[in-house]
Amino acid sequence: MKPSEIVDLLKQQEFGDKILSFEENTFQPGIQINPLWIEDIFYFLRDDDRLAFDSLSCLSGVDYGAGKELGVVYHLFSMKHNHWLVVKVKLDRESPHVPTVEHIYKAANWHERETFDMYGIVFDFHPDLRKILLPDDWEGYPLRKDYQVQELYHGIKVPF
Amino acid sequence: MPHLKTEEMIMNMGPQHPSTHGVLRLELVTDGEVVKSITPHIGYLHRCFEKHGEELTYPMIIPFTDRLDYLASMNNNHAFNLAVEKLLNLEVPRKVEFIRVIVAELQRIASHLVAIGTFGADIGAVTPFLWTFRDREVILNLFENLTGARMLYNYMWPGGVARDFPKGFREEIGAFITYFRPKIRDLNNLLTGNHIFISRTAHVGVLPADVAVNYNCTGPVLRGSGVKWDLRKNDPYSIYPEFEFDIPVGQGTMGTLGDTWDRYYIRCQEMEQSLNIIEQALAKFPVEDATDVQAAVPRRIKPPAGEVYARAENPRGELGFYIISDGGTKPFRVRAKSPCFVNLAVLPALGKGIMVSDIVAILGSIDIVLGEVDR
Amino acid sequence: MGYFKDIYRGVSSTLTGMTLTARELVRPDHIVTIQYPKESIPVPETGRYRLHNNIDECIGCNQCANACPVSCIEIKSFKRMDKDVETVKETQKKRLWVEQFDIDMSKCMFCGLCTWPCPTECLTMTSVYDYSAYDFKEHIFKFSKLTPAEAEQKKAELEAWTAEQAALKAAAAAKKAAEAPAVKPETPAAPPAEKPAEG
Amino acid sequence: MHDLVLKTLGIGDLLAWLGVPDGSLVYPVVASVFPLVFLIIFALLAVYAERKVSALIQNRLGPMETGPWGLFQTTADILKLIQKEDITPKAADKILFFVAPVLVFTGTYASLAAFPWSSGFVGADLNVGIFYLLAISSLVVAGLLMAGWGSNNKWSLYGAVRSTAQIVSYEIPAGLAVLTAIVTTGTLSMNGIIRHQEGMWFGLLFQSPFLFVAFIIYLIASLAEVNRTPFDLPEAESELVGGYHTEYSGMKFAMFFLAEYGNMFIVSGIAVAVFMGGWLTPWGTEPSVLMGVVWMILKSLFFVFFQMWLRWTLPRFRVDQLMYLCWKVLIPIAFACLIGQAAVEVYL
């Protein structure tokens, strides 16, 4: 299905006001949605057989620049229809919260834990949101643009 | 007799453990031999690839992609270059495409050899381990003649490759193919058909197809559960459509569909398919095409602002790169979606109520490389 | 039934396995071991292992240090006097004394990115791979031939030479100003003295 | 034994010449040292042979550096193990930790007492020889349990519990298989069994199909008793890291190692004695005393090689498959052979 058709389908499902923007010219068509409605939209995207987005191919946190907002980008892919959809969510920097999609796509479990670990984005209702890659007592969120490496970690000099 | 509540034992398998394929710690809650739950702890080999990606120029990132899945460096390069070439909207010369496919498929065989060898050693048969590594040495020597390095090559660049095939290299590859075909048969006789091996792997760690898709498992893990999905065929890139090869899929021949034996046997069949691809690529190789392999490599890589998610079929699954470029020489964000990270996430789901020796079998069949899990 | 088929398959697959291992046991020509200290795996000369810089052809342009992802190359150089400028490979001009050219091979990741931008191709990767040492510092290979004493002496000459050039220029400018004072406005101030290019 | 050792090997005359009084304690001491020396030498050669066999199978060369063709590799290993520090984990149960290797080694060393080297050359020619041999070799189980529990390491406990289950349950098929042979020979004494096999090509093996199957069952069961692949679950490297001897190092580890290889020899020695005509020549005639020893060692070494050959071919069983194989396959067939052989004896 063509990207514009996907968006029209979403609009028919009275998600229209939830879709904040739609970019078409990039390699993969992307829509930006209101974070609070993520769960319903994802359920619809996955279960509707015309769309059939059965695999969450990639979930990545993005920091759009020091001082700007944080974002989470979901790359959805349908094995059945072989088409893409990129769902983006923009969160404010101070308290980034977005509901989890772990119960819809099990793949999101570890991806969300890694995004929390690297960006500090809290995924609400995630079953066990812990740091996955970094040690549990590591301060700061490394992948943020304004991240300052801590001087010592347990007495070990960190800067290279 | 009232059920005697035996106390469960919490055991740590790893991070230094002979069969965790790297620094992975599995926290097992066991009741006697039966495992109640597995919680993997990763992050011991985290080297901040994504942070590096934001501070280095595009050519500098390529040696870092080698070190993601250090057993399949060529395929990692290939995936990263696909993404950058899409960003740059770069047309890659046909000869370079052929070189890339041949080299990527050779690397796939080398990577599968390690997977099969270590899987056999985990189950207890040490001889296949030595045989697979003996055959892998031949491929490493081929790569050393071609690129100069044995494992981490920095060979594929956006738009081209570092060096052209030296004289007589294609004959060396042909010699390897004739040398290697009977060796796969030996391996199957020794390990795949062995009754003890089958009883240790059949019906163990069964991964249903829908769970595999929901966990976004890819590669031999997904195909083991019967889902015929291979990026080289279903979402083709480079010049793979020009070659005929089939995609081995698990049939549950020795046990239920999606068990450890299926995932293992797919890797054996995939090695043969890779040999076919290399043979066809060698036959169709544009020999008289004398274009310099570095012709299309831009001097300074400054892609226009934009973002792309490109992926390639690594031996362990679908490795995808999500690159956001802000027009500078350094990417704004590089996100590596690694197949082992996702395939490993299935382990807790498979690990309920199995025996301790089965964990080792399942972990071997999922075939993870911690460099890619921890990035 | 399954019970006996199970046993039969067990025995037959064990026997095939054993014939295979027996066949390998009696085939000494299959042995692949190379006994390292006496013989070693032949490394092609295009092998990418230890870096080597032919310092005579190095013009100190710092391209390799910029191209290195892990920044393991350190170069310190200062300007040569005009009379010392030499040409290398007819095209490149050596305008700098390379006081220090260190490559820290323990940091190097053997990617070879530094060898490509080198204008005179003096930086190459040799196929020497066995240079293990007991101390990290031994892995810092120093290629510069300039001893510190020579460097000091050359820097002193450079100071004297630049001062002298500046004086000459100032004198020439003053003379020109004296000859045609009314016609042209005052010539701009003398160009600032050349500062030695820090690496 | 000791008078024989003294007489045939001439040590007796040597000691008498040295002026040692006749009834003194020196004689039995010297006689009992002989099997210990043999055990150590055998272990040295067996470890070297195992490394060479595994190397050749895997297209490698094996040890080549120490001495010509790496011959002194095992002596180098033993020297290394001797000078290695003998670590005892802090929280380990000191007594159990210390006694375990001693018990395991005595199990092996004691069974050499009744080992039928040759017609005149056997330790204690007990009339319950085979019974004693099978019994003493299960002393190892207690040692392994002590090692596993004593080293206070979860993985060693796993190894110990697995090895107890394995050895105890595999003694039954081994016992039954040997019983099938005893049914024909009628006597329990080792020399008696061997003498009964005179005139038979390759001993009892080919006398009746029941005996042949019993021999195969005994071979499999003996593999399990010695913890050799495909039954090396107690010290499964890839799962339990080292099994019961993870925490051991230095001399104690060497004792475990020596005991394992000693057991290998003894188990194959019993198989040879009971089924393959012991120290008789393969065509069943009785050789001289010394030649008997040579034949006995040659036949045993073949089975030791068979165990090594099997180790580098087969993968490892899982614990429940191990139990299934023992209780559901080996024991029923062993019973069938026993009954079959008994019927053969009665009616033929």
Side-chain angles (χ1 to χ4, degrees):
Chain A
M1 273 177 79
K2 283 194 21 341
S4 47
E5 287 154 9
I6 299 175
V7 175
D8 300 344
L9 254 175
L10 280 171
K11 286 198 170 81
Q12 282 157 21
Q13 293 292 328
E14 88 282 338
F15 289 131
D17 54 357
K18 316 298 184 297
I19 297 174
L20 308 178
S21 80
F22 170 52
E23 302 139 29
E24 184 140 14
N25 45 30
T26 56
F27 294 102
Q28 282 100 7
I31 56 170
Q32 188 190 338
I33 57 170
N34 174 338
L36 302 176
W37 289 89
I38 197 166
E39 198 180 346
D40 310 341
I41 295 179
F42 268 51
Y43 264 125
F44 172 70
L45 285 174
R46 188 188 67 167
D47 297 341
D48 184 289
D49 56 6
R50 282 163 301 172
L51 296 170
F53 282 104
D54 43 22
S55 85
L56 170 67
S57 184
C58 171
L59 183 152
S60 21
V62 181
D63 179 354
Y64 288 100
K68 296 206 186 71
E69 70 270 296
L70 294 176
V72 179
V73 178
Y74 302 82
H75 280 80
L76 297 172
F77 180 73
S78 156
M79 286 194 184
K80 216 160 72 154
H81 305 308
N82 218 335
H83 57 230
W84 280 98
L85 182 67
V86 178
V87 177
K88 293 190 182 156
V89 163
K90 293 264 172 45
L91 318 159
D92 80 336
R93 203 173 184 79
E94 283 0 325
S95 73
H97 278 268
V98 66
T100 179
V101 291
E102 193 264 342
H103 48 288
I104 307 165
Y105 295 105
K106 281 278 177 263
N109 187 337
W110 276 22
H111 284 302
E112 282 174 355
R113 277 179 59 189
E114 187 195 351
T115 314
F116 163 71
D117 191 353
M118 291 294 161
Y119 284 92
I121 298 170
V122 176
F123 289 86
D124 307 334
F125 313 113
H126 188 281
D128 98 50
L129 198 61
R130 285 179 287 118
K131 280 184 179 290
I132 190 166
L133 289 179
L134 294 177
D136 296 342
D137 54 2
W138 187 270
E139 294 113 25
Y141 300 111
L143 271 180
R144 286 198 182 185
K145 296 288 180 191
D146 52 8
Y147 169 71
Q148 283 311 326
V149 177
Q150 55 190 49
E151 195 46 40
L152 286 175
Y153 173 68
H154 288 301
I156 309 158
K157 189 168 93 65
V158 175
F160 172 59
Chain B
M1 236 275 274
H3 172 58
L4 281 175
K5 175 78 181 64
T6 54
E7 193 197 306
E8 278 149 5
M9 196 151 68
I10 296 178
M11 312 225 323
N12 269 324
M13 198 183 215
Q16 284 81 21
H17 190 273
S19 63
T20 48
H21 295 247
V23 262
L24 156 74
R25 179 162 74 93
L26 297 178
E27 194 184 318
L28 316 175
V29 176
T30 59
D31 173 11
E33 280 282 339
V34 175
V35 173
K36 281 276 182 298
S37 80
I38 306 178
T39 16
H41 294 267
I42 57 173
Y44 291 92
L45 198 57
H46 177 57
R47 294 155 297 172
C48 338
F49 167 73
E50 289 169 6
K51 189 74 176 174
H52 280 310
E54 287 164 14
E55 267 133 35
L56 295 173
T57 63
Y58 286 90
M60 286 186 182
I61 296 177
I62 294 187
F64 282 87
T65 57
D66 280 342
R67 282 146 174 89
L68 279 178
D69 175 355
Y70 40 77
L71 293 177
S73 309
M74 287 296 184
N75 305 78
N76 304 344
N77 288 0
H78 204 168
F80 183 75
N81 286 322
L82 286 179
V84 176
E85 277 148 17
K86 267 194 185 156
L87 269 178
L88 288 165
N89 203 348
L90 206 59
E91 215 282 334
V92 179
R94 191 167 153 70
K95 178 177 176 181
V96 169
E97 289 291 5
F98 269 90
I99 293 179
R100 282 185 176 177
V101 163
I102 293 174
V103 154
E105 290 310 316
L106 272 175
Q107 182 74 82
R108 188 185 308 279
I109 295 175
S111 164
H112 280 332
L113 279 175
V114 172
I116 289 166
T118 45
F119 186 50
D122 290 349
I123 305 285
V126 179
T127 314
F129 180 76
L130 270 304
W131 287 2
T132 50
F133 269 69
R134 167 201 65 198
D135 301 335
R136 184 167 170 269
E137 273 312 301
V138 180
I139 299 181
L140 294 191
N141 289 340
L142 280 178
F143 281 146
E144 191 174 25
N145 297 341
L146 174 65
T147 64
R150 282 171 63 81
M151 266 181 81
L152 307 172
Y153 315 108
N154 182 21
Y155 179 63
M156 296 191 195
W157 293 349
V161 277
R163 280 205 188 106
D164 199 343
F165 274 178
K167 217 163 53 52
F169 190 69
R170 276 182 284 109
E171 288 69 25
E172 276 173 41
I173 299 180
F176 166 71
I177 292 176
T178 44
Y179 158 81
F180 187 58
R181 270 199 201 285
K183 295 289 187 251
I184 298 182
R185 201 169 20 78
D186 284 356
L187 210 62
N188 284 344
N189 290 350
L190 181 68
L191 202 56
T192 319
N194 189 299
H195 187 57
I196 300 174
F197 180 77
I198 291 169
S199 58
R200 272 298 296 275
T201 50
H203 305 293
V204 168
V206 176
L207 179 63
D210 53 352
V211 172
V213 167
N214 203 309
Y215 270 92
N216 186 24
C217 297
T218 48
V221 178
L222 181 66
R223 291 192 283 276
S225 310
V227 179
K228 197 171 177 66
W229 180 261
D230 184 328
L231 288 181
R232 296 173 292 176
K233 270 272 200 273
N234 299 76
D235 184 359
Y237 55 95
S238 173
I239 46 169
Y240 276 107
E242 294 180 24
F243 305 116
E244 309 93 28
F245 58 96
D246 57 9
I247 309 292
V249 179
Q251 272 104 21
T253 38
M254 288 297 176
T256 50
L257 177 62
D259 60 10
T260 322
W261 192 84
D262 278 339
R263 285 191 284 272
Y264 158 80
Y265 189 54
I266 279 177
R267 291 195 182 92
C268 297
Q269 293 169 305
E270 266 183 17
M271 283 203 293
E272 264 160 56
Q273 293 311 319
S274 296
L275 282 180
N276 299 346
I277 297 177
I278 297 173
E279 258 168 2
Q280 292 166 37
L282 283 178
K284 287 192 200 151
F285 194 84
V287 181
E288 66 300 332
D289 176 351
T291 56
D292 168 17
V293 285
Q294 289 187 9
V297 178
R299 295 273 357 116
R300 279 172 62 80
I301 298 173
K302 271 172 79 96
E307 58 178 56
V308 76
Y309 177 74
R311 50 188 186 166
E313 183 67 29
N314 258 26
R316 286 174 181 75
E318 165 206 310
L319 171 68
F321 281 97
Y322 173 52
I323 302 180
I324 304 177
S325 142
D326 59 357
T329 58
K330 297 186 172 118
F332 184 74
R333 165 84 164 113
V334 177
R335 159 79 170 145
K337 195 234 85 173
S338 95
C340 297
F341 183 76
V342 181
N343 293 347
L344 185 59
V346 175
L347 190 61
L350 293 178
K352 296 260 176 318
I354 56 170
M355 314 199 67
V356 174
S357 359
D358 287 341
I359 303 174
V360 168
I362 294 172
L363 200 57
S365 73
I366 295 178
D367 175 25
I368 49 167
V369 169
L370 263 296
E372 198 172 47
V373 172
D374 296 347
R375 283 183 302 282
Chain C
M1 55 171 186
Y3 182 73
F4 290 106
K5 194 152 64 62
D6 223 13
I7 297 170
Y8 167 72
R9 256 193 285 121
V11 172
S12 69
S13 66
T14 313
L15 291 181
T16 46
M18 285 169 74
T19 44
L20 254 173
T21 38
R23 194 202 67 199
E24 285 301 318
L25 184 68
V26 295
R27 294 292 299 273
D29 56 347
H30 280 200
I31 287 183
V32 290
T33 324
I34 290 175
Q35 301 197 45
Y36 174 62
K38 305 185 192 70
E39 324 137 349
S40 69
I41 302 173
V43 177
E45 25 352 282
T46 57
R48 282 197 345 230
Y49 296 104
R50 195 179 65 185
L51 276 166
H52 173 71
N53 180 6
N54 175 0
I55 195 69
D56 309 335
E57 294 178 354
C58 172
I59 62 172
C61 61
N62 223 342
Q63 296 266 10
C64 50
N66 302 339
C68 176
V70 291
S71 58
C72 68
I73 301 177
E74 275 165 49
I75 303 173
K76 280 203 187 65
S77 56
F78 53 91
K79 201 166 174 327
R80 287 176 184 234
M81 288 183 286
D82 284 355
K83 61 181 172 62
D84 290 345
V85 173
E86 297 151 27
T87 60
V88 171
K89 291 199 174 137
E90 300 84 29
T91 54
Q92 300 295 334
K93 284 247 177 319
K94 275 170 78 169
R95 287 198 177 74
L96 296 168
W97 286 112
V98 181
E99 184 188 358
Q100 177 207 9
F101 191 102
D102 298 352
I103 298 180
D104 184 351
M105 284 315 286
S106 60
K107 277 196 215 142
C108 167
M109 69 200 278
F110 300 102
C111 60
L113 281 175
C114 50
T115 51
W116 298 103
C118 180
T120 59
E121 277 164 13
C122 65
L123 188 62
T124 52
M125 291 191 102
T126 61
S127 54
V128 172
Y129 58 88
D130 45 5
Y131 52 93
S132 45
Y134 284 101
D135 179 4
F136 273 124
K137 295 194 182 37
E138 286 164 40
H139 271 175
I140 299 176
F141 291 91
K142 300 189 184 313
F143 289 102
S144 159
K145 289 209 173 52
L146 229 57
T147 59
E150 269 177 8
E152 286 322 315
Q153 184 239 340
K154 290 228 167 0
K155 275 194 181 135
E157 280 171 17
L158 181 67
E159 248 73 27
W161 180 72
T162 41
E164 176 201 316
Q165 287 299 18
L168 269 175
K169 207 166 283 159
K175 194 149 56 49
K176 201 179 293 127
E179 279 153 12
V183 171
K184 282 208 301 324
E186 186 53 46
T187 57
E194 275 298 318
K195 189 169 70 49
E198 278 313 312
Chain D
M1 163 82 159
H2 56 276
D3 54 348
L4 188 99
V5 160
L6 308 178
K7 271 210 270 3
T8 44
L9 296 190
I11 305 177
D13 319 336
L14 181 68
L15 287 175
W17 178 71
L18 281 173
V20 169
D22 207 5
S24 79
L25 264 178
V26 169
Y27 290 97
V29 162
V30 162
S32 66
V33 155
F34 174 74
L36 187 65
V37 164
F38 169 79
L39 206 57
I40 291 173
I41 293 171
F42 170 76
L44 285 183
L45 291 180
V47 169
Y48 173 73
E50 168 119 64
R51 294 172 74 142
K52 275 292 174 187
V53 161
S54 75
L56 291 178
I57 285 181
Q58 292 159 358
N59 296 339
R60 298 183 284 117
L61 274 179
M64 294 295 279
E65 292 304 315
T66 50
W69 285 92
L71 272 169
F72 305 127
Q73 180 65 33
T74 343
T75 39
D77 284 349
I78 298 285
L79 290 180
K80 173 201 78 175
L81 279 179
I82 286 173
Q83 51 93 9
K84 268 266 173 61
E85 188 204 350
D86 210 335
I87 302 162
T88 316
K90 195 155 52 66
D93 183 329
K94 299 286 183 292
I95 308 136
L96 287 186
F97 193 77
F98 176 78
V99 166
V102 170
L103 211 58
V104 167
F105 185 69
T106 40
T108 318
Y109 180 47
S111 51
L112 270 180
F115 196 81
W117 297 97
S118 142
S119 49
F121 194 18
V122 67
D125 190 359
L126 314 163
N127 46 25
V128 282
I130 188 69
F131 181 69
Y132 166 80
L133 275 176
L134 288 182
I136 203 75
S137 69
S138 66
L139 195 64
V140 171
V141 172
L144 296 186
L145 251 185
M146 283 187 194
W149 180 259
S151 43
N152 189 32
N153 164 348
K154 288 178 186 162
W155 294 106
S156 311
L157 185 63
Y158 254 85
V161 167
R162 276 188 186 176
S163 69
T164 328
Q166 175 181 319
I167 295 177
V168 162
S169 55
Y170 271 88
E171 258 157 31
I172 299 165
L176 285 175
V178 165
L179 216 56
T180 333
I182 304 299
V183 160
T184 51
T185 58
T187 99
L188 274 178
S189 111
M190 294 305 280
N191 274 351
I193 297 170
I194 295 172
R195 284 222 190 297
H196 183 273
Q197 292 168 30
E198 271 177 41
M200 299 173 189
W201 274 80
F202 288 106
L204 279 176
L205 207 50
F206 300 111
Q207 298 317 311
S208 82
F210 299 111
L211 278 173
F212 185 76
V213 170
F215 173 68
I216 303 277
I217 290 173
Y218 181 78
L219 265 190
I220 298 172
S222 65
L223 271 179
E225 249 167 72
V226 171
N227 294 344
R228 294 288 300 185
T229 308
F231 303 99
D232 63 348
L233 268 98
E235 10 96 8
E237 301 78 25
S238 58
E239 290 140 29
L240 308 181
V241 181
Y244 50 84
H245 53 68
T246 324
E247 298 298 337
Y248 282 87
S249 64
M251 236 356 245
K252 293 200 185 76
F253 181 75
M255 298 267 265
F256 274 117
F257 221 61
L258 218 57
E260 188 196 334
Y261 280 92
N263 260 341
M264 254 170 82
F265 179 78
I266 286 150
V267 154
S268 44
I270 297 170
V272 159
V274 173
F275 290 98
M276 290 278 287
W279 35 263
L280 295 175
T281 54
W283 47 87
T285 60
E286 185 178 340
S288 72
V289 172
L290 276 188
M291 269 312 289
V293 175
V294 168
W295 275 118
M296 183 63 184
I297 290 184
L298 269 183
K299 290 185 188 174
S300 308
L301 286 186
F302 170 72
F303 282 102
V304 168
F305 164 72
F306 174 78
Q307 290 177 8
M308 291 178 190
W309 179 12
L310 214 55
R311 172 172 186 180
W312 301 107
T313 320
L314 295 178
R316 185 179 304 125
F317 273 109
R318 209 175 45 198
V319 182
D320 57 333
Q321 291 157 357
L322 188 79
M323 290 305 151
Y324 168 82
L325 180 73
C326 173
W327 295 95
K328 292 270 176 51
V329 175
L330 290 188
I331 291 181
I333 297 179
F335 269 123
C337 293
L338 183 63
I339 295 159
Q341 186 56 26
V344 162
E345 280 311 306
V346 167
Y347 294 113
L348 285 191

